[in-house]
Amino acid sequence: MASSDPNKRPRPGPWPPAPESAAMPPTTWAKKTGFRPKFSGETNASDSGQIGIQQQSTRRRESDPNLDLEAGRVRTRQEKVNGETTGEKDKPPVRKRRDSDGGGGVAKSTNGQSVGTTTTATAEPAAAATTAAAAQQPARRVSRNEEVVDVLPQIVDDDGFMSRHSHMKYELRDTPGLVPIGLYGFQHYLSILGSLILIPLVIVPAMGGNYEDTSNVVSTVLLMSGVTTLLHTSFGSRLPLIQGPSFVYLAPALAIINSPEFLALKGNKFKHIMKELQGALIISSAFQAILGYSGLMSVLLRLINPVVVAPTVAAVGLSFYSYGFPQIGTCLEIGAVQILLVIFFSLYLRKISVLGHRVFLIYAVPLGLAITWAVAFLLTAVGVYSYKGCDVNAPVSHIISDHCRENIPKMKHCRVDALHALGSAPWFRFPYPLQWGMPVFHWKMALVMCVVSIISSVDSVGSYHASSLLVASRPPTPGVLSRGIGLEGLCSLLTGLWGTGTGSSTLTENVHTIAVTKMGSRRAIELGACVLIVLSLIGKVGGFIASIPDVIVAGLLCFMWTMLTALGLSNLRYSEAGSSRNIIIVGLSLFLSLSIPAYFQQYGIIPKSNLQVPSYFQPYVVASHGPIRTNFGGLNYILNTLLSLHMVIAFLVAVILDNTVPGSRQERGVYVWSDPETAKREPAVAKDYGLPFRVGKLFRWVKWVGL
């Protein structure tokens, strides 16, 4: 029988309780210290950044004692059911997520936490009686002055309108047809083309490779990106996230490439260094797979929150500032124009639609690349970068003419020698494992990569949470997340065997692409991955990409690293961005992530010294001159290298401060993951994250890698 006592009233839905309000007391340890997280002047930033709306909603919830947060409605009118007072009001309309499989809609808070559920068949008898009584009341309109509690997360699009993730064109399990899936899948991959191809264009020349080597590595990257994406959408987190060469692995790869023992190598040292990278990646990938499939990742999740993810991912983008514009300066008339074009397309023309698509916003990077590449090709064809008597392939020591010494750098960086790159590439080539030879294993390089694999996992945690709020019914469970990290480790193991030079991880830029294109279909990503595999078998595709000039590569990297930095900081929207606690932690993490590595990188370098590496690679030769100089050479290498990596410092500072400085869960923005027991009972969640082909039934006993 229903009761008028609101504390004894049955709650419709077991998963999980309502989010903490602004007046929630601090955590247990904070309570012991007497710390109060709320100070005058601090704001409460919601998921959409609408601070005023969130504060108004919070005050409304605090001031109204009849507000039922879990039911998502207001109790104002007394009704009689079987002679008892229920205190129920007609339930206001709550906007629900469209479920293509008939699953119940779930209301979420700004951090993905459920605060209201649909009525189920297992409802309490009293709740059923209340619902029946409410159904007998005549329908009426909700007046304008009446409070309507909207419990779904609010997101602001580019036009400033309030929208929700149900406005996605295609959600996770939607299969609208082959043609729409093909078009949207191609659009998705084309929009993040820069993230797929740029890393081999940087590391292969740094290893001494030629056009043919670059072409082969690009083809291998395309193949492994397609294969690992199919594996991840089928047996990993099952979210529509593209797997590819991660920028997280770029800095340690450059540190290994510029190790002291490799600087003295003569001739073509590409294959030798590639085998060293393969060995380090294979060991670190095995470590990441164990971290995920053993359940240790679920334990580590307690330490990973938005305040940790934001500066860590942002530091990855900020760490390559010494490479970006210094490289553009070698051919300013092309590099600067490219950056201006990308900025113009992505910002000033972002709202222009062509056939219902925001072409300039979605394809800003590919359009900027195509235009500047065409201009550079035309300038090369008409002879602008051809200087009489100067050979761009001649060794620097053999150049006598001052005229050639001055102009050969411009020839190297501005010319588009597409014919040479295409001519050296075969029409058909199948990248195969161990194509560069047997990997070489060194424990010191492997340990550096193992630490970096943890940073890669932290990056993926933020991507999983953000993408799930866009396309899925609920965030994944800790077991699903551990399963995804474990599979990323196996995927990196495959890239180590095939020899791409970097590990495979979830591309952070993918989340921005999903939000912009509003395409979250898993099938579209899988079809695009199949197309990528086919393109990888055409050798001329890799040769064509390998002909991109260095200055255009640097221009693309400037924009991609900018996006990576901004996407990292955007994780702060799940926390209270205006909190002085979070401001200090993020500020310290970012500043120290730039300052401490600068100390290690500059220590022991004599001004104007004649190093054997270009100036933009000097930060990665720290292992030979760093301040840590013990009697153990391997320990010196590991510590000097790790402490010179910006993302490692940002992660260490953020994870220590965020988990030791008192603060409420709401203030910290603790990520909320789905409850495993509740997820198993909901068909929509099970279909979102359940393994296909009944594979999940074989691993029911492994509770930490499933629903």
Side-chain angles (χ1 to χ4, degrees), residues 221-404:
V221 166
L222 296 180
L223 173 66
M224 297 314 300
S225 178
V227 171
T228 55
T229 299
L230 290 176
L231 290 175
H232 189 80
T233 55
S234 300
F235 306 105
S237 70
R238 307 217 68 199
L239 291 168
L241 297 173
I242 296 175
Q243 306 295 299
S246 174
F247 286 119
V248 175
Y249 289 93
L250 180 56
L254 291 175
I256 293 176
I257 291 170
N258 292 283
S259 297
E261 54 264 40
F262 301 147
L263 295 179
L265 293 178
K266 303 296 182 182
N268 189 354
K269 55 184 181 180
F270 165 75
K271 289 187 177 181
H272 182 82
I273 299 179
M274 178 62 81
K275 290 186 289 186
E276 297 276 355
L277 287 175
Q278 287 182 264
L281 285 171
I282 289 173
I283 295 178
S284 67
S285 302
F287 169 78
Q288 187 180 17
I290 294 174
L291 182 69
Y293 287 125
S294 66
L296 292 176
M297 193 63 205
S298 298
V299 179
L300 187 61
L301 279 181
R302 302 173 185 175
L303 306 177
I304 301 174
N305 298 310
V307 181
V308 176
V309 174
T312 302
V313 179
V316 176
L318 293 175
S319 60
F320 301 104
Y321 67 91
S322 62
Y323 181 90
F325 207 83
Q327 276 286 82
I328 294 177
T330 59
C331 189
L332 198 59
E333 63 270 23
I334 291 181
V337 169
Q338 181 188 8
I339 292 182
L340 292 176
L341 281 175
V342 174
I343 293 175
F344 186 70
F345 291 152
S346 60
L347 293 179
Y348 294 98
L349 302 182
R350 71 185 191 280
K351 295 185 178 181
I352 296 179
S353 297
V354 178
L355 299 178
H357 299 276
R358 293 188 177 182
V359 176
F360 295 103
L361 177 61
I362 298 173
Y363 304 119
V365 173
L367 283 175
L369 169 64
I371 293 175
T372 52
W373 200 357
V375 171
F377 180 81
L378 292 176
L379 293 177
T380 303
V382 299
V384 174
Y385 301 119
S386 298
Y387 299 95
K388 187 176 181 180
C390 300
D391 184 7
V392 70
N393 297 317
V396 179
S397 58
H398 295 174
I399 300 176
I400 302 177
S401 171
D402 293 336
H403 172 72
C404 291

Side-chain angles (χ1 to χ4, degrees), residues 299-550:
V299 179
L300 187 61
L301 279 181
R302 302 173 185 175
L303 306 177
I304 301 174
N305 298 310
V307 181
V308 176
V309 174
T312 302
V313 179
V316 176
L318 293 175
S319 60
F320 301 104
Y321 67 91
S322 62
Y323 181 90
F325 207 83
Q327 276 286 82
I328 294 177
T330 59
C331 189
L332 198 59
E333 63 270 23
I334 291 181
V337 169
Q338 181 188 8
I339 292 182
L340 292 176
L341 281 175
V342 174
I343 293 175
F344 186 70
F345 291 152
S346 60
L347 293 179
Y348 294 98
L349 302 182
R350 71 185 191 280
K351 295 185 178 181
I352 296 179
S353 297
V354 178
L355 299 178
H357 299 276
R358 293 188 177 182
V359 176
F360 295 103
L361 177 61
I362 298 173
Y363 304 119
V365 173
L367 283 175
L369 169 64
I371 293 175
T372 52
W373 200 357
V375 171
F377 180 81
L378 292 176
L379 293 177
T380 303
V382 299
V384 174
Y385 301 119
S386 298
Y387 299 95
K388 187 176 181 180
C390 300
D391 184 7
V392 70
N393 297 317
V396 179
S397 58
H398 295 174
I399 300 176
I400 302 177
S401 171
D402 293 336
H403 172 72
C404 291
R405 286 181 179 273
E406 179 182 354
N407 294 307
I408 277 184
K410 186 176 288 292
M411 295 174 64
K412 288 183 176 180
H413 294 94
C414 298
R415 288 180 61 88
V416 179
D417 295 313
L419 295 179
H420 180 72
L422 288 173
S424 61
W427 276 103
F428 177 82
R429 181 182 183 274
F430 180 76
Y432 53 92
L434 305 180
Q435 55 187 327
W436 317 117
M438 289 300 297
V440 178
F441 300 94
H442 281 111
W443 67 273
K444 59 181 183 180
M445 299 177 183
L447 283 179
V448 171
M449 282 294 188
C450 285
V451 174
V452 172
S453 67
I454 298 177
I455 309 296
S456 175
S457 302
V458 172
D459 183 12
S460 297
V461 167
S463 299
Y464 291 173
H465 185 270
S467 61
S468 66
L469 296 183
L470 290 171
V471 301
S473 57
R474 289 188 184 178
T477 64
V480 171
L481 191 144
S482 297
R483 187 179 72 200
I485 298 299
L487 189 66
E488 284 191 12
L490 294 182
C491 292
S492 293
L493 182 63
L494 293 178
T495 60
L497 291 174
W498 260 259
T500 61
T502 58
S504 176
S505 179
T506 298
L507 298 180
T508 308
E509 307 82 50
N510 197 180
V511 179
H512 175 261
T513 304
I514 292 175
V516 171
T517 62
K518 302 191 182 304
M519 194 288 301
S521 172
R522 182 191 298 146
R523 300 304 178 195
I525 298 296
E526 292 173 344
L527 183 59
C530 295
V531 174
L532 213 62
I533 294 175
V534 174
L535 293 177
S536 69
L537 304 179
I538 305 175
K540 296 296 182 183
V541 173
F544 184 67
I545 295 175
S547 67
I548 300 178
D550 295 342

Side-chain angles (χ1 to χ4, degrees), residues 3 51 137 146 217 270 369 416 470 472 474 486 521 548 550 580 585 640 654 680:
S3 174
I51 298 176
Q137 298 294 331
E146 210 168 42
V217 173
F270 165 75
L369 169 64
V416 179
L470 290 171
R474 289 188 184 178
S521 172
I548 300 178
D550 295 342
S580 60
I585 291 176
N640 283 323
K680 291 179 181 179

